[in-house]
Amino acid sequence: MSRRADLLRLPMSAPDDVSALAAAVAEGRLDPSAVVAVFAKTEGNGCVNDFTRALGVHALRAFFAPLLPPGGADRIAMVMSGGTEGGLSPHWLVFSAAPGEGTGPALAIGQARTPVLPPEHLGRREQVDLVAAGVRAAMTEAALCPENVHYVQVKCPLLTSERILDARARGAEPLTADTLKSMGLSRGASALGAALALGEVPDEALGAAPAGRDLSLYSRRCGASAGVELLDHEIVVMGMSPDWTGPLVIDHAVMADGIDVDPVAECLERLGFAGGRVREADRGRLAAVLAKAEASSDGLIRGHRHTMLTDSDISATRHARGFVAGALGGLTGLTDLFVSGGAEHQGPDGGGPVAVIARAVTARRV
Amino acid sequence: MSRRADLLRLPMSAPDDVSALAAAVAEGRLDPSAVVAVFAKTEGNGCVNDFTRALGVHALRAFFAPLLPPGGADRIAMVMSGGTEGGLSPHWLVFSAAPGEGTGPALAIGQARTPVLPPEHLGRREQVDLVAAGVRAAMTEAALCPENVHYVQVKCPLLTSERILDARARGAEPLTADTLKSMGLSRGASALGAALALGEVPDEALGAAPAGRDLSLYSRRCGASAGVELLDHEIVVMGMSPDWTGPLVIDHAVMADGIDVDPVAECLERLGFAGGRVREADRGRLAAVLAKAEASSDGLIRGHRHTMLTDSDISATRHARGFVAGALGGLTGLTDLFVSGGAEHQGPDGGGPVAVIARAVTARRV
Amino acid sequence: MSRRADLLRLPMSAPDDVSALAAAVAEGRLDPSAVVAVFAKTEGNGCVNDFTRALGVHALRAFFAPLLPPGGADRIAMVMSGGTEGGLSPHWLVFSAAPGEGTGPALAIGQARTPVLPPEHLGRREQVDLVAAGVRAAMTEAALCPENVHYVQVKCPLLTSERILDARARGAEPLTADTLKSMGLSRGASALGAALALGEVPDEALGAAPAGRDLSLYSRRCGASAGVELLDHEIVVMGMSPDWTGPLVIDHAVMADGIDVDPVAECLERLGFAGGRVREADRGRLAAVLAKAEASSDGLIRGHRHTMLTDSDISATRHARGFVAGALGGLTGLTDLFVSGGAEHQGPDGGGPVAVIARAVTARRV
Amino acid sequence: MSRRADLLRLPMSAPDDVSALAAAVAEGRLDPSAVVAVFAKTEGNGCVNDFTRALGVHALRAFFAPLLPPGGADRIAMVMSGGTEGGLSPHWLVFSAAPGEGTGPALAIGQARTPVLPPEHLGRREQVDLVAAGVRAAMTEAALCPENVHYVQVKCPLLTSERILDARARGAEPLTADTLKSMGLSRGASALGAALALGEVPDEALGAAPAGRDLSLYSRRCGASAGVELLDHEIVVMGMSPDWTGPLVIDHAVMADGIDVDPVAECLERLGFAGGRVREADRGRLAAVLAKAEASSDGLIRGHRHTMLTDSDISATRHARGFVAGALGGLTGLTDLFVSGGAEHQGPDGGGPVAVIARAVTARRV
């Protein structure tokens, strides 16, 4: 018997607003016991002191606890990504997996959680290996081989003043004492871990502290997001599997910079959106867009200077999210896009991977 | 004999970097005595305390003073627009007008400056009328009739704590004591002034303090930008005139919201950019894009909530600029776009006018 | 039999960190059933989109729920105040009341909750009256007469884009559509409500929409704080009552501007802190400092210009909190001060009330 | 014949407002040819993209140019320090030196300028040595020996994306690619340079890249401020010299943390301010307060957590300036204090040096 993945994209009026999930359960559109992962774009700053992510997790746990057997909520991957700059709309993405009938291939989904990351391992080879092992476990769960994976979402930890002191108290020195910078290092090492597991980067190319070193090493299919609300990693792997069924399909693209929409247009075309644009009539078929955004480290886009890295009032990740949201919004007509900031080792420098999940064009018997 | 308009789009490495202008003069690509207006996107916050605009003006005056007869620099309209959020690239737009030969129609440009605006008139009918008179004067200068105008750029003043106290010392009460809010009221009244002069809004529709009142009243062809560095209004009018010649043409579109790129695509199509997209090979033909961006006042884009108005860390205008820059960047492949924030009464609520200046497809004898 | 008030000042490592409360309960220093109010300074921006306050409330409810009978947590006033700018330290203030023996006077505490405030009443006379009634109810509960009250803490609601739409859907127009501004109007109307109940402002001085109108009308003993996490008002009244006993005493002062520490020094002197300074040895006697901070509306402090109102990157309330925190920190040697921003109608324009709670100098038999 | 130092503290209504200087010249209170240094607190963010400093320099140069012989303006040290958080008031400090008669000791002032700093030397031993040489030159000019120096003000450069690319183009790698971080490294190396010249730190304690390494190495008498508007260093040394005369005296203190006002109070006491507080009647005697502010790197003030380093919306230097301004404002009653952010190697970690310049209590024949 095959499995079937489903996905609901639901609005939130605040990071703790789960009323749309409640309505979906009440109306029979969502089976709580089938939920494997909930992603959310929450309206914080997406940086170190973004507590909207923690608030989202609090609300989700409180919501699911009475609907599931004891410990059930702990098995749901909760990937909160802060930052809804520009016109981005805060929203939930609720992924379910259940026994299904019919033939594939279709969207497959698997998840895993790593052990807690000691603060001094952040950005170093140890974090890369920890994440690689987690990605492999999630692929196994989803019965996906590396080449069929289209997206790996990693939620990773960051350093706080407290965690740094904690490491030092044990005689260990973290890679950085800059809490904001630690987010980038953690995302970078996580992406390299995914790249290792997916065979995108060879083992020997990675040194002792690979994050942030050689930006030509990257994953084309990983989005990593750092948050203060966890100490380990939550990993969700998505791909196309013959063992899965249902209406959903997934594909991916890689943007070379923040306005490089052509590869995404081609991806949309492959998914049946004519002209590589999502017109009004087709919009219902678009289930989710997951993308990474970042400021190029050389301060340039196509040879022209940008100011994201020298703006001391707004973090570069905030600039990048709102900007890429505009580019993808123009293409898709949606604003509830899962655009996450900081794409270190996720796509080329200044660009980033994009995954599109859609309902297949041809009706498929399920 | 006709006139001919030219336009250079030049990079800046800082708000006071005029080296690209100096190079253009040195290489004979720019005649200082022909310059009628300089626009710039500078890398400030675009809000009340954005002194990058003043710095740009300082640098321009110091640059032009030795190149022009006494008072010559004062006749150049200097429209600094702060805010290069997202991937926007700080740049200069240098408009020249000179005697030309050949036939039109082609881009025509005219400018005017209003008397100083008393702080207590800001946002009120007095400001509307002041700007309307200025727009009419600029049209006269350019020999443009209202229907041939494609864009009116207004640089307008704002209130500071000092100016408010000054008005009160004279027994007059400004429309608002909120300095940030005064920027929106000033832009709104300026746009209504342009709308009045262009015949887009009837006189009787405007009350005593029309700015911010009825957002269904708006100009489809005006972009207004407020700044602390002036007390009057600088007005530049652009359109297509049979009395002008040269390689440049202008057209405009109106976006209904921040991701409504279709009207702009159609405008590009009309200007000869196939498919309504500016491909690599065509990019040299695109001379300038001027656009307005804002957050819709109902907090929604196509029914989905945005968070621009409830973010107390980043001004809504900053969010909107970076977002619309992404949408237009995806379409045009450029990041040195003149996207200005705050589109009150400039296009429909949440949207805004866009003007595109391009080199004409067919070579024209000049 | 008299009552006895107690107060714990406890650290938090994040807005949802209640571990210090848990330790206090475990060690017998805190009786959950005696808790009447919990205040907290949380590390958000203290403005519209500050969700750290909601997160704090989530955590407190989850903490108290299993320790109290059903509904017990609802009876605790939870007053989260966002914003720990400068060196302010996030912390909890846990107020308890229990039967006590001995003689007074001592710190007395009472609380009340108002009905839900319709968005269109915010800033208007209706809100003033609602809060006045709540303050009277809280005084009654604490057996305090107006002249013995030293501080009234009001947590009040604010407007969001949603709440504004909701009012309009009912044909009602809120006083403002600016969400950040609504915080100030709500605080102002709340303070006027307290002033009315305390007899500081005569009924006839208030018009239909008094908030923000005449800043010479104010309470000398009220601090109001607005938050997105509630729709009604939570009111806590503190004063000196002969019917209460215990080690704690309270006094208050009014700062005329952000650096006017002399009245606070005199208040400290009255409480037995020699020289009006809190020296190292005495610091343990200082139980809590509650203060309001704001930018003066004329843009001046003692004739010198400040830039808090014209800074479009940082809200004036954020500036003011960090600044007043420095002034009071220099005086008291503490950084876990409950400094709250936005003092509209709370003390004179640009200044604000300060309450100091201390352990009495002379040991008192309890 | 001795020299005499004078100092004017003048308001500015914007970074380019030199009207108070013009008035001083017009009224004979300021002799342009005697000016040796102008300091200013300007209302920018004080970080990388703070162009208010450049604007201030533009305005000063334009002001002095017609008043001085050719090249005269270049000999004036212009030390713009951005950031007037909290209630800080933007202002100018205009230092003059002229032949004087009478006896000392009195405030002495000397200045120097270093060669341009290659970007790759920033934060490294080369920068330390460059600044040390400059401090020695300035001391020589002022006829000051190290032990009589009370304050060294250094204005130092920072890295921008462009300058980093420039170094790399030459095959050199800067110490950091983080532009905001480069400000701290530059300030730190500058302070160590001053410490070396003043004999506060032994040569052998410094390694190849000492900035940011061992925070126990610091100067007690140096304030460094980084800015985008220069590529070299401007150094001003102040002290008490028997060879100088006039009404002004200088003393200094070191704050151990942001609220450690006691050493400053003692300094004020030594300068004749009774009780270590500057009361209304004495305020005219206080000529200038120069102080450094920073967030302690362990995230603690007296054991309590602060959030300056984990706030991703407001830079830690902005928090620190507003906070220390409050502490010093409470003590002195002034808001036009020269509080500068980022005190790396300037006083102990989290604290900073403070210099006070005052008119001497006893009238002195001059």
Side-chain angles (χ1 to χ4, degrees):
Chain A
M1 196 181 68
S2 47
R3 283 180 282 175
R4 170 195 162 116
D6 279 293
L7 170 55
L8 289 179
R9 191 173 84 247
L10 301 171
M12 60 165 77
S13 67
D16 56 351
D17 172 31
V18 293
S19 60
L21 280 80
V25 170
E27 295 162 13
R29 290 180 289 122
L30 180 66
D31 172 9
S33 66
V35 174
V36 292
V38 182
F39 290 13
K41 280 306 306 175
T42 60
E43 57 201 288
N45 63 22
C47 299
V48 177
N49 63 329
D50 181 351
F51 296 100
T52 63
R53 297 174 302 221
L55 182 57
V57 169
H58 268 260
L60 283 177
R61 286 189 189 283
F63 172 72
F64 280 111
L67 302 176
L68 297 176
D74 296 339
R75 283 195 301 272
I76 300 174
M78 296 178 183
V79 179
M80 309 290 105
S81 167
T84 55
E85 292 80 7
L88 282 175
S89 190
H91 65 284
W92 306 101
L93 295 176
V94 186
F95 294 90
S96 305
E101 277 177 38
T103 54
L107 173 67
I109 184 166
Q111 56 124 317
R113 199 147 186 162
T114 71
V116 164
L117 180 79
E120 64 272 26
H121 286 179
L122 187 145
R124 296 203 166 105
R125 181 62 200 244
E126 288 88 341
Q127 187 180 16
V128 174
D129 290 337
L130 203 66
V131 171
V135 172
R136 287 188 196 103
M139 286 194 289
T140 300
E141 201 213 89
L144 278 168
C145 56
E147 52 269 37
N148 289 344
V149 168
H150 284 283
Y151 212 67
V152 178
Q153 177 70 42
V154 183
K155 181 87 205 190
C156 54
L158 52 80
L159 297 180
T160 60
S161 300
E162 272 203 332
R163 294 175 194 175
I164 293 167
L165 290 182
D166 168 63
R168 287 178 180 163
R170 286 181 287 101
E173 185 60 32
L175 193 52
T176 183
D178 180 327
T179 57
L180 186 56
K181 198 172 177 177
S182 78
M183 298 181 77
L185 294 172
S186 184
R187 287 188 298 253
S190 296
L192 289 172
L196 195 61
L198 296 177
E200 298 180 305
V201 160
D203 195 308
E204 59 276 16
L206 303 167
R213 296 265 153 185
D214 179 355
L215 296 179
S216 73
L217 301 175
Y218 57 81
S219 172
R220 299 173 62 85
R221 293 172 275 165
C222 176
S225 178
V228 76
E229 69 278 14
L230 81 176
L231 295 167
D232 57 351
H233 300 80
E234 294 204 291
I235 296 168
V236 177
V237 169
M238 290 178 255
M240 288 296 288
S241 165
D243 299 336
W244 288 64
T245 184
L248 295 172
V249 291
I250 184 170
D251 202 341
H252 78 276
V254 180
M255 294 172 78
D257 60 35
I259 54 176
D260 183 29
V261 295
D262 288 348
V264 186
E266 289 159 21
C267 174
L268 289 169
E269 187 95 50
R270 290 195 299 273
L271 290 168
F273 295 95
R277 296 281 306 278
V278 185
R279 311 257 162 212
E280 180 88 46
D282 274 345
R283 213 154 280 153
R285 281 216 299 116
L286 191 56
V289 178
L290 301 102
K292 291 297 306 189
E294 73 172 353
S296 57
S297 67
D298 64 358
L300 300 172
I301 298 176
R302 303 186 187 184
H304 287 86
R305 185 168 73 97
H306 66 71
T307 61
M308 297 188 267
L309 295 176
T310 50
D311 187 343
S312 305
D313 290 310
I314 302 182
S315 295
T317 49
R318 304 202 72 177
H319 277 293
R321 271 190 297 267
F323 186 59
V324 170
L328 294 176
L331 205 65
T332 62
L334 293 189
T335 56
D336 44 352
L337 303 161
F338 191 84
V339 179
S340 158
E344 302 83 357
H345 301 290
Q346 302 149 67
D349 185 18
V354 180
V356 181
I357 304 175
R359 265 158 260 290
V361 183
T362 51
R364 183 183 295 157
R365 241 167 305 187
V366 289
Chain B
M1 198 181 68
S2 47
R3 283 180 282 177
R4 170 195 162 116
D6 279 294
L7 169 55
L8 288 179
R9 193 173 82 245
L10 300 171
M12 60 164 76
S13 67
D16 56 352
D17 172 33
V18 293
S19 60
L21 280 80
V25 170
E27 295 161 14
R29 290 180 290 122
L30 180 65
D31 172 9
S33 67
V35 174
V36 292
V38 183
F39 290 13
K41 279 305 305 175
T42 60
E43 57 202 285
N45 63 22
C47 299
V48 177
N49 63 329
D50 181 351
F51 295 100
T52 63
R53 298 174 302 220
L55 182 57
V57 168
H58 268 260
L60 283 177
R61 286 187 190 284
F63 172 72
F64 280 111
L67 303 175
L68 296 176
D74 296 339
R75 283 195 300 272
I76 300 174
M78 297 178 183
V79 180
M80 310 288 105
S81 166
T84 56
E85 292 79 7
L88 281 175
S89 190
H91 65 285
W92 306 101
L93 294 177
V94 187
F95 294 90
S96 304
E101 277 177 36
T103 55
L107 174 66
I109 184 166
Q111 56 124 312
R113 200 147 184 161
T114 71
V116 163
L117 180 79
E120 64 271 25
H121 287 179
L122 188 146
R124 297 204 165 105
R125 180 62 199 241
E126 288 89 342
Q127 188 180 17
V128 174
D129 290 337
L130 203 67
V131 171
V135 172
R136 287 189 196 103
M139 286 194 289
T140 300
E141 202 213 89
L144 277 167
C145 56
E147 52 268 37
N148 288 345
V149 168
H150 284 283
Y151 212 66
V152 178
Q153 178 69 42
V154 183
K155 182 87 206 190
C156 54
L158 52 80
L159 298 180
T160 59
S161 300
E162 272 204 332
R163 294 175 193 175
I164 293 167
L165 290 182
D166 168 63
R168 287 178 180 164
R170 287 182 286 100
E173 185 59 31
L175 193 52
T176 182
D178 179 328
T179 58
L180 186 56
K181 197 172 177 177
S182 78
M183 299 181 77
L185 293 173
S186 185
R187 288 188 297 254
S190 296
L192 289 173
L196 194 60
L198 296 178
E200 299 180 306
V201 160
D203 196 309
E204 59 275 16
L206 304 167
R213 294 265 153 185
D214 179 354
L215 295 179
S216 72
L217 301 175
Y218 58 81
S219 172
R220 299 174 61 85
R221 292 171 277 165
C222 176
S225 178
V228 77
E229 70 279 12
L230 82 176
L231 294 167
D232 56 352
H233 301 78
E234 293 205 291
I235 295 168
V236 178
V237 169
M238 290 179 256
M240 288 296 289
S241 165
D243 299 335
W244 288 64
T245 185
L248 296 172
V249 290
I250 185 170
D251 202 342
H252 77 275
V254 180
M255 294 172 76
D257 59 37
I259 54 176
D260 183 29
V261 295
D262 287 348
V264 186
E266 288 159 20
C267 174
L268 289 168
E269 187 96 50
R270 290 194 300 274
L271 290 167
F273 295 96
R277 295 281 305 277
V278 184
R279 311 257 161 212
E280 180 89 47
D282 274 345
R283 213 154 281 153
R285 282 216 299 115
L286 192 56
V289 177
L290 301 103
K292 291 296 307 188
E294 73 172 356
S296 57
S297 68
D298 65 357
L300 300 173
I301 298 177
R302 302 185 187 184
H304 288 86
R305 185 169 72 98
H306 66 71
T307 61
M308 297 188 267
L309 295 176
T310 50
D311 187 344
S312 305
D313 291 309
I314 301 182
S315 294
T317 50
R318 304 202 72 177
H319 276 293
R321 269 190 299 267
F323 185 59
V324 170
L328 294 177
L331 203 66
T332 62
L334 294 188
T335 57
D336 44 352
L337 303 161
F338 191 85
V339 179
S340 159
E344 303 82 356
H345 301 291
Q346 302 149 68
D349 185 18
V354 181
V356 182
I357 303 175
R359 266 159 258 288
V361 183
T362 52
R364 183 184 296 158
R365 239 166 308 186
V366 288
Chain C
M1 196 181 68
S2 49
R3 282 181 283 175
R4 169 194 162 116
D6 278 292
L7 169 55
L8 289 179
R9 191 172 85 245
L10 301 171
M12 61 164 77
S13 67
D16 55 351
D17 172 32
V18 292
S19 60
L21 280 79
V25 169
E27 295 162 14
R29 289 179 292 123
L30 180 65
D31 172 7
S33 66
V35 174
V36 291
V38 182
F39 290 13
K41 279 306 304 176
T42 60
E43 57 201 285
N45 63 21
C47 300
V48 177
N49 63 329
D50 181 351
F51 296 100
T52 62
R53 297 174 302 221
L55 183 57
V57 168
H58 268 260
L60 283 177
R61 286 188 190 284
F63 171 71
F64 281 111
L67 303 176
L68 296 176
D74 295 340
R75 281 194 302 271
I76 300 174
M78 295 177 183
V79 180
M80 308 290 104
S81 166
T84 55
E85 292 79 8
L88 281 175
S89 191
H91 65 283
W92 305 102
L93 294 176
V94 187
F95 294 90
S96 305
E101 276 175 40
T103 55
L107 173 66
I109 183 166
Q111 56 125 316
R113 198 145 187 165
T114 71
V116 164
L117 180 79
E120 64 271 25
H121 286 179
L122 187 146
R124 295 203 166 104
R125 181 62 200 243
E126 289 88 341
Q127 188 181 14
V128 174
D129 289 339
L130 204 67
V131 171
V135 172
R136 287 188 197 103
M139 287 194 288
T140 300
E141 202 214 90
L144 277 167
C145 56
E147 53 267 36
N148 289 345
V149 168
H150 284 283
Y151 213 66
V152 178
Q153 178 69 42
V154 183
K155 182 85 205 190
C156 54
L158 53 79
L159 297 181
T160 60
S161 300
E162 272 203 333
R163 294 175 193 174
I164 293 167
L165 291 182
D166 168 63
R168 287 177 181 164
R170 287 181 285 101
E173 186 60 31
L175 192 54
T176 182
D178 179 328
T179 57
L180 186 56
K181 197 171 176 178
S182 78
M183 298 181 77
L185 293 172
S186 186
R187 286 188 297 254
S190 296
L192 289 173
L196 195 59
L198 296 178
E200 299 180 305
V201 161
D203 196 308
E204 59 276 16
L206 303 167
R213 295 264 154 185
D214 179 354
L215 296 179
S216 72
L217 300 175
Y218 58 81
S219 172
R220 300 173 61 86
R221 292 172 277 165
C222 175
S225 177
V228 77
E229 70 278 13
L230 80 176
L231 295 166
D232 56 353
H233 301 79
E234 293 204 292
I235 295 167
V236 177
V237 169
M238 290 179 257
M240 288 296 288
S241 166
D243 298 334
W244 288 63
T245 183
L248 296 172
V249 291
I250 185 171
D251 202 341
H252 78 277
V254 180
M255 294 173 77
D257 59 37
I259 54 175
D260 183 29
V261 295
D262 288 348
V264 187
E266 289 159 21
C267 174
L268 288 169
E269 186 96 51
R270 290 195 299 273
L271 290 167
F273 295 95
R277 294 283 305 279
V278 184
R279 313 255 161 212
E280 182 88 46
D282 273 345
R283 213 154 281 153
R285 281 215 300 116
L286 191 56
V289 178
L290 301 103
K292 291 297 304 190
E294 74 172 353
S296 57
S297 67
D298 64 358
L300 300 173
I301 298 177
R302 303 186 185 184
H304 287 87
R305 185 169 72 98
H306 66 72
T307 62
M308 297 188 267
L309 295 176
T310 51
D311 187 344
S312 305
D313 291 309
I314 301 182
S315 294
T317 48
R318 304 202 72 177
H319 277 292
R321 269 190 298 267
F323 186 59
V324 171
L328 294 177
L331 203 65
T332 62
L334 294 189
T335 57
D336 45 351
L337 303 161
F338 192 84
V339 179
S340 159
E344 302 83 357
H345 301 291
Q346 302 149 67
D349 186 18
V354 180
V356 181
I357 304 175
R359 263 159 262 290
V361 184
T362 51
R364 183 183 295 158
R365 238 168 307 189
V366 289
Chain D
M1 196 181 71
S2 48
R3 283 180 282 177
R4 170 194 161 115
D6 278 293
L7 170 55
L8 288 179
R9 192 173 83 245
L10 301 170
M12 60 165 76
S13 67
D16 55 352
D17 171 32
V18 293
S19 60
L21 280 80
V25 170
E27 296 161 13
R29 289 180 290 124
L30 180 65
D31 172 7
S33 66
V35 174
V36 292
V38 182
F39 291 12
K41 279 307 304 176
T42 61
E43 57 201 285
N45 63 24
C47 300
V48 178
N49 63 330
D50 181 351
F51 296 99
T52 62
R53 296 174 303 220
L55 183 57
V57 168
H58 268 260
L60 284 177
R61 286 188 190 284
F63 172 71
F64 281 110
L67 302 176
L68 297 176
D74 296 339
R75 283 194 301 271
I76 300 174
M78 296 177 182
V79 181
M80 309 290 104
S81 166
T84 55
E85 292 79 8
L88 281 174
S89 189
H91 65 283
W92 306 101
L93 294 177
V94 186
F95 294 90
S96 305
E101 278 176 37
T103 54
L107 174 67
I109 183 165
Q111 55 125 313
R113 200 146 184 162
T114 72
V116 163
L117 180 79
E120 63 271 25
H121 287 179
L122 187 147
R124 296 204 165 104
R125 181 62 199 243
E126 288 88 343
Q127 187 180 15
V128 173
D129 290 338
L130 204 67
V131 171
V135 171
R136 287 188 197 102
M139 286 194 289
T140 300
E141 203 213 88
L144 277 168
C145 56
E147 52 269 36
N148 288 345
V149 169
H150 283 283
Y151 212 65
V152 178
Q153 177 70 40
V154 183
K155 181 86 204 191
C156 54
L158 53 80
L159 298 180
T160 60
S161 300
E162 273 202 333
R163 294 175 193 175
I164 294 167
L165 290 181
D166 169 63
R168 287 177 182 165
R170 288 181 285 101
E173 185 60 29
L175 192 54
T176 181
D178 180 328
T179 57
L180 186 56
K181 196 171 177 179
S182 78
M183 298 181 77
L185 293 172
S186 185
R187 286 187 299 252
S190 296
L192 289 173
L196 194 60
L198 295 177
E200 299 181 304
V201 161
D203 196 308
E204 60 276 16
L206 304 166
R213 294 264 154 186
D214 179 355
L215 296 179
S216 73
L217 301 175
Y218 57 82
S219 171
R220 299 172 62 85
R221 292 172 277 165
C222 176
S225 177
V228 77
E229 70 278 13
L230 81 175
L231 295 166
D232 56 352
H233 301 78
E234 293 204 292
I235 295 168
V236 177
V237 168
M238 290 179 256
M240 287 297 287
S241 164
D243 299 334
W244 289 64
T245 184
L248 295 173
V249 291
I250 185 170
D251 202 341
H252 78 276
V254 180
M255 294 172 77
D257 60 36
I259 53 174
D260 183 31
V261 295
D262 288 348
V264 187
E266 288 159 21
C267 175
L268 289 168
E269 187 97 51
R270 291 194 300 272
L271 290 167
F273 295 96
R277 295 282 304 278
V278 184
R279 313 256 162 211
E280 181 88 46
D282 274 344
R283 213 155 282 153
R285 280 216 300 116
L286 192 56
V289 178
L290 301 102
K292 290 297 305 190
E294 73 172 355
S296 57
S297 67
D298 64 358
L300 299 173
I301 298 176
R302 304 187 186 184
H304 287 86
R305 185 169 72 99
H306 65 72
T307 61
M308 297 188 265
L309 296 176
T310 51
D311 187 344
S312 304
D313 290 310
I314 302 181
S315 294
T317 48
R318 303 202 73 176
H319 277 292
R321 270 190 298 269
F323 185 58
V324 170
L328 294 177
L331 204 65
T332 62
L334 294 189
T335 57
D336 45 351
L337 304 162
F338 192 83
V339 179
S340 161
E344 302 83 357
H345 300 291
Q346 302 149 66
D349 185 19
V354 180
V356 181
I357 304 176
R359 265 159 260 289
V361 182
T362 51
R364 183 184 297 159
R365 240 166 307 184
V366 288

